C-alpha cells in the first residue's frame, strides 16, 4: 500500500481540523491566522531578513558576512577563468559556450557555469541561454588589453602572493611573515633564485598599477628650487621620469639595487632625459647618494618593518644637505576609518616581507626616530600620498 501524500496547508493555517465521523469528505475548515508582528515569538526568535542581490534572503547578520565568505570563491573563479584563457576565448560578438570551452580545452557545462558565476559580478555578460560576450571588466583581462588586468590576476595566482595568504593564520599566531618562513629567504631573493618569471610578472604589475599614478603624484611634488633629486628604490625609473619631465631645471639620480636596474626606462638611459639622469646601483640600507636636495621613496617603506625603515631614513639624513627634504610616497591608513584596500595591503605587506602600511602618526614616529622633522602630508586623488620631512639644519 502506498503512502498518502501529506496535504499542504495554505499560508496562515497552523493545522487541519480532524474529519467528522461518518463523512467521506472533510467538513468546513476554520481558517486560523496569526499577526506575526504581535506574536511574541516573532520578536524573540525570528531574525531580521536583509534581501539583496548578493546575499538573498538570509538573516541580516549572516547576510552581511556573505560578501566576505563568497569573496574567496569569486576570486578563485576569476583566477580560474584567466588560467583557462576564457577572456581570450570570448569574442567581441556573443560566443557559444561550446566554442569557448573547445578553445579553452575544458568541460562545456562547467565553463558555462563558471561564466555565469562571474557574470553575477559583472565579469562577462550573458547573451541568451548558451552564449556570453565581454563586459567592461572581462575585456581588460584579455592578454592584449592595455589595462593589463590579466597581469594582476597572475600575481594573485603566483606562489609569492597566493601561497603567502594561505599562511595567514600561522603568521598571526607567531608574528613571523609567511613568505620568508615558507621559503627561507626574502621576497626578492625568492624572485632571483627560485621564481624569476614570478619576479617579472611582479615588476610588470607594479609598473602598471603604481606607474599609472606617476603623473598625478609628480604634479603634487613641489621641488621648491631643488637641483638634485634622488629616487631611492626607483626601479625602472618611471616616477623619476615623470618628475624630471615636469621640472626641466632638476637633475635626477635613480638609485636601487643593481638587479633592479636592468630595465630602466629608455628615456632615462639613452633618451631626452639621459643628460639629466644618473643611474647609480647600491643598497640603501648601507648608504645612499650624497648631497641631494630631495630624497624620494615611492612604495618602499611599506615593504619593511619599522627598524629597517628607520635605518634607511637615517642613511638619507646622513647623506643629505641640511634642510633637504624627504618625500615618502605610500598609502595612508586611517585607524578610525579603515578601508579595504589599505588594510588588506597592510596584511599582504607583512605576509610577504614583514612590512606594513602606516598612519600619518606612525610615519611621524619613524621620522623622529631617524632624526628628521615631520612637516606635512600632501594628499592626492589617487591611492598614494606624499608624507614629507626635512633634515634639521
Amino acid at each position: 500500500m502506498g503512502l498518502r501524500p501529506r496535504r499542504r496547508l495554505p499560508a496562515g493555517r497552523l493545522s487541519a481540523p480532524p474529519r467528522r465521523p461518518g463523512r467521506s469528505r472533510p467538513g468546513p475548515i476554520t481558517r486560523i491566522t496569526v499577526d506575526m508582528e504581535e506574536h511574541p515569538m516573532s520578536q524573540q526568535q525570528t531574525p531580521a531578513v536583509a534581501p539583496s542581490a548578493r546575499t538573498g534572503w538570509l538573516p541580516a547578520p549572516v547576510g552581511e558576512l556573505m560578501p566576505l565568505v563568497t569573496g574567496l570563491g569569486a576570486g578563485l573563479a576569476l583566477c580560474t577563468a584567466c588560467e583557462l584563457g576564457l577572456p581570450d576565448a570570448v569574442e567581441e560578438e556573443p560566443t557559444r559556450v561550446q566554442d569557448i570551452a573547445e578553445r579553452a580545452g575544458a568541460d562545456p557545462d562547467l565553463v558555462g557555469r563558471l561564466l555565469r558565476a562571474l557574470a553575477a559580478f559583472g565579469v562577462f555578460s550573458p547573451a541568451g541561454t548558451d552564449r556570453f560576450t565581454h563586459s567592461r571588466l572581462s575585456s581588460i583581462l584579455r592578454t592584449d588589453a592595455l589595462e593589463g588586468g590579466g597581469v594582476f590576476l597572475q600575481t594573485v595566482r603566483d606562489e609569492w602572493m597566493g601561497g603567502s595568504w594561505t599562511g595567514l593564520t600561522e603568521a598571526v599566531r607567531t608574528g613571523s611573515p609567511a613568505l620568508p618562513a615558507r621559503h627561507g629567504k626574502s621576497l626578492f631573493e625568492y624572485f632571483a633564485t627560485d621564481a624569476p618569471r614570478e619576479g617579472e610578472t611582479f615588476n610588470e604589475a607594479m609598473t602598471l598599477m603604481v606607474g599609472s599614478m606617476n603623473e598625478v603624484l609628480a604634479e603634487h611634488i613641489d621641488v621648491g628650487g631643488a637641483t638634485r633629486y634622488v629616487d631611492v628604490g626607483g626601479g625602472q625609473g618611471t616616477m623619476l621620469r615623470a618628475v624630471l619631465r615636469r621640472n626641466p631645471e632638476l637633475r635626477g639620480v635613480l638609485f636601487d639595487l643593481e638587479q633592479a636596474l636592468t630595465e630602466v626606462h629608455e628615456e632615462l638611459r639613452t633618451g631626452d632625459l639621459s643628460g639629466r639622469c644618473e643611474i647609480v646601483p647600491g643598497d640603501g640600507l648601507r648608504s645612499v647618494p650624497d648631497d641631494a636636495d630631495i630624497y624620494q621613496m615611492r612604495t618602499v617603506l611599506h615593504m619593511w618593518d619599522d627598524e629597517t625603515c628607520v635605518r634607511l631614513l637615517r642613511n638619507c639624513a646622513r647623506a643629505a644637505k641640511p634642510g633637504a627634504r624627504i618625500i615618502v610616497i605610500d598609502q595612508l591608513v586611517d585607524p578610525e576609518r579603515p578601508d579595504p584596500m589599505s588594510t588588506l595591503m597592510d596584511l599582504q605587506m607583512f605576509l610577504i616581507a614583514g612590512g606594513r602600511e602606516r598612519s600619518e602618526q606612525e610615519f611621524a614616529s619613524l621620522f623622529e626616530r631617524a632624526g628628521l622633522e615631520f612637516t606635512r602630508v600632501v594628499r592626492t586623488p589617487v591611492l598614494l600620498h606624499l608624507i614629507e620631512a626635512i633634515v634639521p639644519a
Side-chain angles (χ1 to χ4, degrees), residues 34-44:
V34 178
D35 187 340
M36 295 303 292
E37 292 186 359
E38 295 181 0
H39 197 279
M41 291 294 289
S42 69
Q43 298 180 20
Q44 295 175 20

Side-chain angles (χ1 to χ4, degrees), residues 137-166:
L137 294 181
S138 66
S139 64
I140 68 172
L141 298 174
R142 294 179 297 189
T143 53
D144 61 352
L146 296 178
E147 297 88 347
V151 175
F152 294 106
L153 265 294
Q154 181 62 57
T155 64
V156 175
R157 284 152 39 209
D158 282 345
E159 161 65 18
W160 73 269
M161 184 184 290
S164 296
W165 275 102
T166 64

Side-chain angles (χ1 to χ4, degrees), residues 279-294:
I279 300 172
V280 178
D283 183 351
L285 296 180
R286 296 181 179 178
S287 64
V288 298
D290 291 332
D291 297 327
D293 301 295
I294 297 176

Side-chain angles (χ1 to χ4, degrees), residues 69-379:
V69 176
T70 59
L72 175 61
L76 292 174
L78 190 58
C79 289
T80 296
C82 287
E83 193 163 347
L84 292 172
L86 300 190
D88 288 330
V90 176
E91 300 173 353
E92 292 296 333
E93 298 298 322
T95 310
R96 291 194 316 144
V97 169
Q98 181 70 37
D99 295 334
I100 298 169
E102 286 179 4
R103 294 165 189 168
D107 181 82
D109 175 59
L110 284 167
V111 166
R113 291 157 68 181
L114 177 61
L115 290 169
R116 181 179 64 193
L118 290 172
F121 292 88
V123 182
F124 301 105
S125 296
T129 57
D130 67 340
R131 285 174 167 78
F132 283 86
T133 187
H134 274 295
S135 66
R136 181 177 61 88
L137 294 181
S138 66
S139 64
I140 68 172
L141 298 174
R142 294 179 297 189
T143 53
D144 61 352
L146 296 178
E147 297 88 347
V151 175
F152 294 106
L153 265 294
Q154 181 62 57
T155 64
V156 175
R157 284 152 39 209
D158 282 345
E159 161 65 18
W160 73 269
M161 184 184 290
S164 296
W165 275 102
T166 64
L168 179 61
T169 300
E170 187 66 15
V172 172
R173 280 201 185 107
T174 64
S176 299
L179 186 142
R182 191 179 179 98
H183 296 285
K185 57 193 70 175
S186 71
L187 174 65
F188 293 106
E189 289 171 338
Y190 168 75
F191 284 154
T193 61
D194 295 6
R197 199 278 303 157
E198 291 186 21
E200 292 174 4
T201 305
F202 169 84
N203 289 333
E204 186 178 356
M206 292 306 100
T207 298
L208 286 168
M209 182 178 75
V210 183
S212 66
M213 308 179 204
N214 284 340
E215 295 301 327
V216 174
L217 294 170
E219 182 181 345
H220 284 77
I221 295 175
D222 179 10
V223 299
T227 58
R228 182 171 164 85
Y229 188 105
V230 176
D231 185 348
V232 179
Q236 297 174 341
T238 57
M239 183 71 229
L240 181 59
R241 171 176 170 262
V243 172
L244 292 179
R245 290 176 69 178
R246 291 186 64 87
N247 299 279
E249 75 287 353
L250 203 59
R251 298 186 65 84
V253 178
L254 180 62
F255 177 74
D256 208 331
L257 297 171
E258 186 169 3
Q259 60 265 32
L261 296 173
T262 57
E263 296 184 10
V264 174
H265 196 283
E266 183 178 354
E267 198 169 351
L268 299 177
R269 287 188 294 105
T270 59
D272 294 342
L273 298 176
S274 60
R276 292 195 286 128
C277 179
E278 183 182 359
I279 300 172
V280 178
D283 183 351
L285 296 180
R286 296 181 179 178
S287 64
V288 298
D290 291 332
D291 297 327
D293 301 295
I294 297 176
Y295 290 84
Q296 170 239 291
M297 287 155 275
R298 185 197 61 178
T299 58
V300 171
L301 296 192
H302 78 154
M303 293 289 295
W304 312 121
D305 60 25
D306 286 355
E307 294 302 323
T308 306
C309 291
V310 169
R311 184 176 167 189
L312 177 58
L313 290 169
R314 280 178 180 157
N315 287 343
C316 292
R318 292 191 190 104
K321 299 176 181 178
R325 293 161 56 205
I326 309 295
I327 301 178
V328 172
I329 302 176
D330 257 320
Q331 291 190 70
L332 279 171
V333 172
D334 185 341
E336 297 182 2
R337 298 176 182 174
D339 68 90
M341 184 65 179
S342 65
T343 52
L344 289 175
M345 187 66 74
D346 174 53
L347 290 175
Q348 181 175 304
M349 288 302 103
F350 176 76
L351 288 171
I352 65 175
R356 66 189 302 148
E357 303 296 342
R358 294 176 172 86
S359 67
E360 180 177 326
Q361 291 73 23
E362 288 170 328
F363 276 115
S365 176
L366 291 182
F367 290 144
E368 182 179 2
R369 290 176 59 189
L372 299 164
E373 295 179 6
F374 171 59
T375 55
R376 64 173 182 166
V377 166
V378 179
R379 295 192 176 268

